[in-house]
Amino acid sequence: LKGNLSKTNLEKWLYSRMIPESRPLYNSINKYLKTINHYYLDNKPFWQNEENWDGFAWINDGDNENSVIAFRRFGDDGQELIVICNFTPVSRDNYKIGLPFLGQYEKIFSTCQGTEDYKTVISKAGPLHGLKFSGDFFIPQMSAAYYKCTKKFKVKLKKPCGLKYKNKKHIPKNL
């Protein structure tokens, strides 16, 4: 190794001496790291409010039987991410977690490739983990997935016994 030892020259030199069979692995790892950096910079909840609890809230931190955790990350502008991590070599299908909104949650990033069929989750009414709504997720083995609520649905209040109210004065206060 002679000449100028700049970082670029060193990388080229190392790459040229790599075993040819390992180059595809190197390229895929490099692409993966670029993708992670791209998502990190584009999604403010990843990096805003890191120094205090305003940017973080647990959804489920007590499922030691399945070794799964779920939490929320918040950005300054109101953006929010749902993060689900599975620390076992067993995939979890229809894994329920509490969700803050009634809506459509899109997977924006996953550490596991090949799970494109499970990109969207529609939440439903029913409290879980201290939140008003819940959703069923597929969580691949040994992975972390990041979801964002891309479409919020309006919550419809049901009137008891099919009653019709002509004006708001007649609506009971407990509805």
Side-chain angles (χ1 to χ4, degrees), residues 35-47 79 108 148:
T35 303
I36 288 175
N37 287 334
H38 168 75
Y39 280 112
Y40 182 80
L41 292 174
D42 287 349
N43 292 281
K44 293 178 183 178
F46 279 134
W47 48 270
Q79 284 186 18
I108 60 164
K148 185 183 285 189

Side-chain angles (χ1 to χ4, degrees), residues 92-108:
R92 308 285 178 206
D93 201 7
N94 294 318
Y95 188 85
K96 295 182 185 332
I97 67 163
L99 295 169
F101 307 110
L102 184 62
Q104 178 175 310
Y105 289 80
E106 296 285 335
K107 186 188 302 180
I108 60 164

Side-chain angles (χ1 to χ4, degrees), residues 26-159:
Y26 170 83
N27 290 336
S28 66
I29 290 171
N30 195 18
K31 182 180 175 185
Y32 179 73
L33 291 174
K34 285 181 182 180
T35 303
I36 288 175
N37 287 334
H38 168 75
Y39 280 112
Y40 182 80
L41 292 174
D42 287 349
N43 292 281
K44 293 178 183 178
F46 279 134
W47 48 270
Q48 286 183 337
N49 294 317
E50 286 185 327
E51 65 281 346
N52 58 46
W53 285 98
D54 294 339
F56 178 90
W58 283 110
I59 294 175
N60 182 13
D61 65 342
D63 189 1
N64 58 348
E65 287 182 19
N66 293 310
S67 296
V68 173
I69 61 170
F71 57 91
R72 299 162 69 185
R73 286 297 314 245
F74 308 101
D76 288 336
D77 58 359
Q79 284 186 18
E80 180 174 336
L81 295 176
I82 304 294
V83 183
I84 309 168
C85 304
N86 181 2
F87 296 104
T88 66
V90 178
S91 296
R92 308 285 178 206
D93 201 7
N94 294 318
Y95 188 85
K96 295 182 185 332
I97 67 163
L99 295 169
F101 307 110
L102 184 62
Q104 178 175 310
Y105 289 80
E106 296 285 335
K107 186 188 302 180
I108 60 164
F109 186 75
S110 176
T111 59
C112 183
Q113 293 182 349
T115 58
E116 287 77 22
D117 295 344
Y118 303 97
K119 269 191 122 161
T120 303
V121 173
I122 305 293
S123 63
K124 52 190 165 217
L128 186 62
H129 301 125
L131 298 168
K132 293 181 181 181
F133 308 100
S134 62
D136 299 332
F137 292 81
F138 172 76
I139 312 167
Q141 59 191 17
M142 305 297 288
S143 68
Y146 302 83
Y147 288 85
K148 185 183 285 189
C149 185
T150 56
K151 191 183 293 182
K152 293 180 184 176
F153 304 141
K154 291 186 178 181
V155 179
K156 295 179 182 177
L157 294 176
K158 293 182 181 178
K159 297 175 187 171

